[in-house]
């Protein structure tokens, strides 16, 4: 392919038709107010050409981002970093299954690069379809077990997906499950991204022995699985690159976990030849992603939205949230997982001393959990009542997936 | 009961803790403390010896590999067996429930259980995922049970044991009966923090452990939760 021949120009006829129909369907979906078009277009396109994703990916240099938490944000940060090189196609709306990837690539037209967020379960399939230059693996923890693969099984699927592939892996050195999966790859860059949640990685996936943790290091007590030496790490507000150079990263996104996501984004971009110093200013321009971390003002209340979909995500949210009135909202609809057992995997005691309000479909599950946790709370039956129950000033909202979407809708889909 | 406090032992949280299993320990401890009873909670890792002086032992859920490993280590350790012989109570959920029987199915093969009760488990035709509700055995004096199940196993009770409940929603052991009750042992497929929705089972365990009747607590929130979940499957 010559340099001025974009992916679309080289598409087979069937793929061209599929791409065109896909974009039309997405536009219709948006025009009809039925959705943002990030799934329907790809769904229709794949019906016409089952290999459409491969066809659309061909000729682009692709990075994939997967993990239980942080993949939407890391995808956005990586796309921003890659922007140094040229146009980047990305599924920035969080539609992270092959239909979403297909829509994103069809919509983007021809771009030399693509950065795609991938649902953990689809990693193997999407690697096959897109032949990525780099795969970034963030973390693995329990998430909606009534339908998701259990953690060890997911690590095993990742391992199989990576074995024998001609792709570079950027992986979190602090998550034993990720390390075990990633170390079969031919070439790996390790990033010290941290791991606040340890409860899914006390048992070695290789040999079943206990994993010991000492001052940020970890090792299996029964075999050779241990924390690899990271090439990228954090030092306060700086990301340290493999040459030991410190890059001060000023993000608009809160928390240590987002600085770690920035480190991963820089490590991925470096594989494409992007210098960290060139990418860092672009990371600082990334604001909220699909409403995550968005701020809105209503009735003299400044409301910030934090999404927490699973126990590890809740721990990160408590770390980010300020000590101000806090609304917790829990649903258990299909996208959330129908099971609320995870509430007992989360220690809510960091909320001690803050005025806590609870709402959502499953507020009663949360009420019992908080009572046992010794955290005082007030139950409210709607978001409007939550606002009325606090004085003017700040409100932090921490909610799981559909509860988050409900509140975001009340705030006119704030972004 | 040990002399000073109620000792609650969570067995092998490194192996048997799939989803909120810590909840049962937290809820038992909270219900005891609310009544002014001193409580000691102990988490015993699978590479440590199991104490035999506990009052209530908890077995949680787990994936196939860890479940099989837990069975091997507990069989060698014998601490739980000794504790039960000296009158301790046991609450076992999901994979932990299967462990109390003579055999269970994990990683494609039959594995030997702890053989504490006359029951055995194998693999069912489908995975049972969803709300589970039932009418308890009348002798237990419990209100309807409500929980969430997520398991691929089916459990067959022998002649010497009784089911915890008759299923009204969900699968439980086999679509008809749910769980087991024998002596001071309760086993159930209501996974994770089953006591959150069934505080009366928690009080039953505490009364077995202490030998005294539990005075009622202000259970306004658990009652609202129970009513909501039971109404949802009606």
């Amino acid at each position: 392919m010559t340099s001025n021949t974009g992916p679309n120009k080289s598409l087979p006829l069937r793929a061209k038709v599929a791409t065109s129909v896909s974009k039309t369907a997405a536009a219709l979906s948006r025009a009809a107010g039925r959705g943002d078009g990030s799934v329907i277009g790809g769904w229709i396109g794949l019906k016409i050409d089952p290999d459409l994703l491969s066809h659309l990916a061909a000729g682009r240099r692709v990075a994939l981002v997967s993990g239980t938490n942080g993949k939407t944000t890391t995808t956005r940060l990586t796309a921003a970093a890659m922007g140094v090189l040229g146009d980047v196609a990305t599924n920035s709306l969080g539609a992270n299954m092959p239909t979403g990837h297909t829509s994103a690539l069809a919509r983007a037209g021809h771009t030399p690069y693509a950065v795609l967020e991938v649902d953990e379960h689809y990693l193997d399939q999407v690697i096959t379809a897109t032949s990525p230059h780099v795969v970034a693996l963030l973390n693995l923890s329990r998430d909606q077990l009534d339908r998701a693969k259990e953690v060890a099984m997911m690590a095993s699927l990742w391992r199989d997906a990576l074995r024998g592939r001609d792709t570079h892996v950027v992986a979190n050195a602090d998550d034993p499950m990720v390390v075990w999966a990633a170390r079969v790859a031919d070439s790996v860059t390790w990033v010290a991204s941290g791991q606040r949640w340890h409860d899914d990685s006390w048992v070695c996936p290789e040999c079943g022995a206990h994993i010991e943790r000492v001052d940020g290091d970890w090792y299996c007590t029964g075999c050779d699985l241990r924390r690899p030496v990271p090439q990228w790490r954090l030092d306060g507000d700086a990301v340290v690159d493999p040459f030991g150079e410190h890059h001060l990263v000023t993000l608009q996104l809160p928390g240590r976990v987002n600085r770690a996501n920035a480190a991963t984004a820089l490590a991925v971009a470096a594989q494409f030849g992007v210098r960290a110093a060139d990418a860092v200013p672009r990371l600082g321009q990334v604001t909220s992603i699909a409403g995550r971390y968005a701020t809105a003002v209503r009735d003299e209340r400044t409301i910030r939205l934090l999404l927490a979909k699973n126990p590890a995500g809740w721990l990160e949210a408590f770390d980010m949230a300020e000590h101000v009135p806090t609304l917790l909202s829990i649903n258990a609809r299909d996208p959330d997982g129908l099971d609320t057992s995870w509430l007992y995997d989360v220690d809510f005691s960091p909320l001690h001393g803050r005025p806590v309000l609870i709402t959502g479909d499953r507020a009663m599950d949360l009420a019992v959990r908080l009572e046992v946790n010794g955290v005082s709370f007030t139950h409210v039956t709607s978001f409007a009542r939550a606002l009325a129950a606090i004085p003017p000033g700040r409100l932090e909202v921490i909610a799981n997936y559909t509860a988050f979407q409900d509140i975001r809708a009340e705030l006119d889909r704030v972004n | 009961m040990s002399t000073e406090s109620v000792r609650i032992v969570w067995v092998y949280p490194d192996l048997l803790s799939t989803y909120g299993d810590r909840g049962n320990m937290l809820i038992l401890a909270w219900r005891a403390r609310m009544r002014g009873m001193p409580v000691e909670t102990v988490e015993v890792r699978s590479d440590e010896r199991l104490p035999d002086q506990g009052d209530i032992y908890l077995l949680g859920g787990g994936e196939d590999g860890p479940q099989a490993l837990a069975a091997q280590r507990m069989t060698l350790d014998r601490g739980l067996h000794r504790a039960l012989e000296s009158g301790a109570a046991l609450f076992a959920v999901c994979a932990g429930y299967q462990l109390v029987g003579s055999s269970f199915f994990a990683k494609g093969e039959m594995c030997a259980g702890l053989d504490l009760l006359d029951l055995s488990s194998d693999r069912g035709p489908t995975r049972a995922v969803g709300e589970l509700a039932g009418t308890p055995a009348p002798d237990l004096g419990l209100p309807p049970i409500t929980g969430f199940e997520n398991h691929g196993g089916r459990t067959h009770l022998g002649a010497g044991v009784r089911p915890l409940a008759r299923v009204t929603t969900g699968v439980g052991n086999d679509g008809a009966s749910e769980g087991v009750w024998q002596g001071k042992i309760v086993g159930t497929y209501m996974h994770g923090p089953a006591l959150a929705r069934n505080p009366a089972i928690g009080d039953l365990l505490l009364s077995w452990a202490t030998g005294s009747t539990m005075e009622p607590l202000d259970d306004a929130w658990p009652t609202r939760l129970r009513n909501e979940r039971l109404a949802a499957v009606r």
Side-chain angles (χ1 to χ4, degrees):
Chain A
M1 193 186 300
T2 58
S3 62
N4 63 351
T5 309
N8 286 351
K9 289 180 188 158
S10 65
L11 288 178
L13 180 59
R14 192 174 190 83
K16 280 184 187 161
V17 172
T19 304
S20 168
V21 173
S22 163
K23 285 160 92 170
T24 306
L28 283 173
S29 166
R30 283 190 295 273
R34 297 297 293 272
D36 56 27
S38 58
V39 172
I40 184 73
W43 187 80
I44 290 176
L46 287 168
K47 286 280 172 205
I48 297 171
D49 176 6
D51 293 326
L52 184 56
L53 181 54
S54 309
H55 288 135
L56 289 169
R60 297 184 219 243
R61 301 191 82 200
V62 176
L64 305 180
V65 179
S66 196
T68 307
N69 285 324
K71 51 189 179 287
T72 301
T73 305
T74 306
T75 297
R76 177 66 73 91
L77 290 168
T78 306
M82 300 274 293
V84 169
L85 299 174
D87 288 341
V88 181
T90 184
N91 53 341
S92 55
L93 294 160
N96 61 16
M97 299 182 202
T99 47
H101 305 139
T102 305
S103 284
L105 296 185
R107 191 175 53 231
H110 85 105
T111 62
Y113 302 97
V115 180
L116 299 175
E117 168 189 342
V118 183
D119 181 280
E120 307 86 277
H121 303 76
Y122 290 86
L123 190 62
D124 186 45
Q125 189 184 334
V126 179
I127 289 176
T128 301
T130 64
S131 304
H133 182 52
V134 181
V135 173
L137 304 176
L138 305 176
N139 47 63
L140 278 176
S141 69
R142 61 189 70 185
D143 185 33
Q144 304 172 22
L145 273 196
D146 61 297
R147 62 156 188 214
K149 297 274 192 306
E150 288 160 341
V151 174
M153 199 183 295
M154 184 65 73
S156 177
L157 287 178
W158 275 14
R159 190 175 164 92
D160 293 344
L162 295 171
R163 202 190 297 275
R165 302 271 197 178
D166 182 24
T167 187
H168 186 81
V169 175
V170 171
N172 182 358
D174 293 320
D175 186 328
M177 299 309 245
V178 169
V179 171
W180 180 73
R183 70 173 182 166
V184 300
D186 286 346
S187 63
V188 186
T189 301
W190 300 106
V191 181
S193 296
Q195 188 196 40
R196 199 173 292 275
W197 173 261
H198 298 320
D199 285 358
D200 292 311
S201 49
W202 288 114
V203 178
C204 176
E206 180 73 38
C207 74
H210 179 71
I211 287 177
E212 198 70 61
R213 288 183 168 85
V214 185
D215 296 335
D217 192 12
W218 60 264
Y219 58 91
C220 173
T221 53
C223 71
D224 70 345
L225 185 68
R226 62 176 307 136
R227 183 177 186 261
V229 176
Q231 283 90 46
W232 295 76
R233 61 187 175 87
L234 297 182
D235 182 6
D237 288 343
V239 172
V240 185
D241 72 17
F243 307 103
E245 206 165 316
H246 284 56
H247 304 274
L248 185 64
V249 174
T250 309
L251 297 177
Q252 298 189 45
L253 310 173
R256 184 194 184 278
V257 68
N258 281 321
R259 290 198 294 281
N261 291 337
T264 298
L266 293 174
V268 172
Q271 286 299 315
F272 291 85
V274 176
R275 295 189 323 144
D278 295 335
V280 163
R282 290 168 178 264
L283 301 185
Q285 289 163 20
V286 174
T287 54
S288 81
I289 295 119
R292 294 157 168 84
Y293 318 115
T295 299
V297 178
R298 279 286 182 290
D299 308 332
E300 298 172 66
R301 276 84 174 162
T302 303
I303 303 145
R304 184 166 69 161
L305 302 183
L306 299 170
L307 175 67
K309 292 187 286 193
N310 48 48
W314 282 82
L315 294 190
E316 300 294 357
F318 295 153
D319 178 54
M320 292 174 201
E322 303 288 331
H323 285 254
V324 297
T326 303
L327 173 67
L328 310 178
S329 186
I330 303 287
N331 288 348
R333 302 178 197 162
D334 276 332
D336 307 307
L338 303 176
D339 181 9
T340 57
S341 301
W342 58 268
L343 286 168
Y344 291 83
D345 290 327
V346 177
D347 179 8
F348 289 84
S349 58
L351 296 175
H352 274 302
R354 305 179 206 184
V356 174
L357 303 160
I358 66 169
T359 193
D361 297 350
R362 300 300 290 270
M364 290 307 105
D365 294 76
L366 187 52
V368 173
R369 172 67 188 112
L370 292 177
E371 184 174 61
V372 170
N373 220 162
V375 174
S376 312
F377 61 91
T378 305
H379 175 230
V380 290
T381 50
S382 69
F383 182 65
R385 292 200 170 140
L387 290 188
I390 59 160
R394 300 216 21 206
L395 175 69
E396 298 275 30
V397 175
I398 310 176
N400 69 350
Y401 192 73
T402 66
F404 183 92
Q405 299 303 343
D406 284 356
I407 290 172
R408 196 175 156 223
E410 298 236 16
L411 296 170
D412 305 322
R413 294 186 72 75
V414 59
N415 214 344
Chain B
M1 179 180 168
S2 53
T3 45
E4 282 145 20
S5 54
V6 183
R7 288 192 21 151
I8 302 168
V9 181
W10 183 12
V11 180
Y12 301 169
D14 55 333
L15 298 179
L16 299 175
S17 172
T18 302
Y19 224 31
D21 290 289
R22 176 180 299 276
N24 293 324
M25 180 179 72
L26 297 175
I27 290 162
L28 281 172
W30 184 80
R31 298 188 73 78
R33 289 197 183 104
M34 289 302 285
R35 295 174 168 112
M37 298 153 57
V39 182
E40 199 184 326
T41 58
V42 189
E43 299 175 30
V44 184
R45 237 167 54 189
S46 61
D47 57 357
E48 299 171 326
R49 295 300 306 268
L50 277 172
D52 51 16
Q53 299 297 309
D55 299 305
I56 303 175
Y57 288 74
L58 299 172
L59 290 176
E63 302 174 15
D64 274 16
Q67 181 188 22
L69 195 57
Q72 288 167 16
R73 293 190 181 172
M74 269 187 274
T75 300
L76 287 174
D77 182 276
R78 308 295 298 174
L80 178 61
H81 297 75
R82 284 196 301 275
L84 294 175
E85 278 158 22
S86 25
L90 171 65
F91 184 59
V93 310
C94 216
Y97 165 39
Q98 295 182 347
L99 285 180
V100 306
S102 55
S103 62
F104 62 94
F105 198 81
K107 291 182 124 174
E109 57 186 68
M110 290 305 283
C111 304
L114 303 178
D115 216 5
L116 298 168
L117 293 182
D118 181 12
L119 59 89
S120 65
S121 304
D122 55 21
R123 193 67 79 189
T126 55
R127 198 164 175 88
V129 182
E131 292 287 320
L132 175 60
T135 309
D139 297 357
L140 282 168
L142 294 172
I145 60 164
T146 165
F148 193 91
E149 64 181 333
N150 183 355
H151 57 98
R154 296 296 182 273
T155 294
H156 313 284
L157 303 185
V161 296
R162 283 169 287 187
L164 172 65
R166 181 173 52 78
V167 171
T168 52
T169 299
V171 176
N173 292 335
D174 54 6
S177 77
E178 148 55 15
V180 71
W181 163 49
Q182 175 66 33
K184 294 182 183 175
I185 300 177
V186 171
T188 178
Y189 272 119
M190 297 186 291
H191 87 176
L195 300 179
R197 294 199 208 171
N198 302 281
I201 297 179
D203 286 355
L204 187 65
L205 295 165
L206 286 170
S207 68
W208 285 343
T210 60
S212 46
T213 315
M214 292 296 111
E215 67 203 64
L217 295 178
D218 175 4
D219 275 329
W221 293 112
T223 302
R224 286 180 69 178
L225 172 61
R226 285 179 53 76
N227 292 344
E228 177 193 290
R229 299 326 306 158
L230 286 166
V233 297
R234 209 163 276 148

